[in-house]
Amino acid sequence: MSLEQRPSDSPYVERVYRAGSVAGGVVPARMRSVANSNWELVVWRDRGKTHVSVRGPETGPTVVDLGPGTGETLGIIFRHGAFLAPLPVSTLVDSSVSSPHTTARSFVLQGEEWEIPAYDNADVFVDRLVRAGLLMRDPLVTDVLRGDVTTLVTPRSVQRRVAAATGLTQGAIRQIERARQAVLLLQQGMPAIEVAQRTGYHDQPHLARSLTRFTGRTASQLRRADGDEMLSLLYKTEVEVRP
């Protein structure tokens, strides 16, 4: 499998990625999707049919079987604070909503037909959603999760706005992002005890419990390559992680 990903200059988009089979390459039997605090729009082709889905944040790991019919996948991962106005993110947590009608070129979102985006024009597609009033953003949520302190609104108001825009609490987002950061460090070969210290866990057992909860794997399993299973996209975010 090949995987390509890039950041975005859009204040609404965290990441854009695409994955697909390489000619003559071996397709893993399954993909392990680790917990993720962002929602995304995913387009994939399977056995000649196109599918489009809006997937919410995932608070635990899931495993998806792959096969010889698995085709290309495109994903647009949205920043914390961005949300589809008619579709509350809170209703998408650990679930997804599929387009009621798709073709190879278009899909239906909130009753309107849209051209299916490509890897290179995903930002243009997002701009169209913004201009149409479907995609909105609460910049305070982005700033707060990055660690900025605000005195303009009360802590309770901040909590409500984070939950409304992300479907999760600040604490849940930081726990998920800390576990994802730990996986990145483990894959780079960093010892577990150092990973625990670097990412703010109390000790190695605390790290181990977090990894099991959010990835379904131990530190040694995450460090060891598995040809039958690939991990979902991991990348470093701006979210402040702390104990």
Side-chain angles (χ1 to χ4, degrees):
M1 293 286 285
S2 66
L3 176 62
E4 186 176 2
Q5 53 90 15
R6 63 174 176 83
S8 171
D9 292 330
S10 170
Y12 296 84
V13 179
E14 178 74 31
R15 217 85 179 167
V16 180
Y17 68 89
R18 61 181 171 187
S21 303
V22 178
V26 177
V27 177
R30 57 194 175 274
M31 181 185 75
R32 177 170 297 271
S33 179
V34 302
N36 180 20
S37 62
N38 299 79
W39 65 277
E40 58 187 278
L41 180 92
V42 184
V43 181
W44 74 100
R45 293 177 173 85
D46 184 18
R47 296 170 179 83
K49 187 173 181 180
T50 302
H51 306 267
V52 180
S53 179
V54 176
R55 295 179 182 172
E58 296 179 320
T59 60
T62 57
V63 178
V64 179
D65 290 330
L66 303 175
T70 304
E72 294 182 353
T73 298
L74 168 75
I76 303 175
I77 303 173
F78 291 87
R79 288 184 186 271
H80 296 114
F83 57 95
L84 287 170
L87 191 62
V89 182
S90 58
T91 65
L92 292 171
V93 176
D94 293 324
S95 65
S96 63
V97 175
S98 297
S99 170
H101 178 72
T102 62
T103 70
R105 296 177 176 272
S106 65
F107 72 103
V108 172
L109 176 66
Q110 296 298 315
E112 298 183 34
E113 190 173 49
W114 296 85
E115 182 180 352
I116 288 180
Y119 183 75
D120 296 324
N121 72 358
D123 299 301
V124 174
F125 167 76
V126 169
D127 287 341
R128 290 172 181 163
L129 290 180
V130 173
R131 290 199 299 270
L134 287 179
L135 184 63
M136 306 184 74
R137 175 174 172 264
D138 186 343
L140 178 139
V141 173
T142 307
D143 294 342
V144 166
L145 291 175
R146 194 167 48 206
D148 296 347
V149 178
T150 178
T151 58
L152 300 177
V153 294
T154 66
R156 182 170 295 181
S157 293
V158 169
Q159 292 171 9
R160 283 199 298 265
R161 288 170 66 168
V162 169
T166 69
L168 302 171
T169 64
Q170 293 180 63
I173 292 171
R174 289 186 172 120
Q175 287 181 53
I176 291 171
E177 293 305 322
R178 179 167 56 171
R180 290 170 64 90
Q181 182 177 332
V183 174
L184 285 172
L185 296 174
L186 287 167
Q187 291 181 326
Q188 293 170 13
M190 185 178 292
I193 187 170
E194 189 175 341
V195 171
Q197 294 170 348
R198 179 78 65 88
T199 51
Y201 288 101
H202 301 308
D203 48 31
Q204 278 187 254
H206 186 200
L207 169 65
R209 290 192 298 272
S210 178
L211 292 176
T212 301
R213 175 183 176 184
F214 295 118
T215 75
R217 284 288 180 264
T218 64
S220 58
Q221 288 172 328
L222 290 166
R223 244 194 317 258
R224 186 172 58 246
D226 184 348
D228 289 332
E229 182 176 281
M230 65 178 292
L231 285 181
S232 56
L233 177 64
L234 290 165
Y235 53 90
K236 184 172 175 56
T237 70
E238 295 182 344
V239 174
E240 180 191 34
V241 292
R242 64 187 185 200

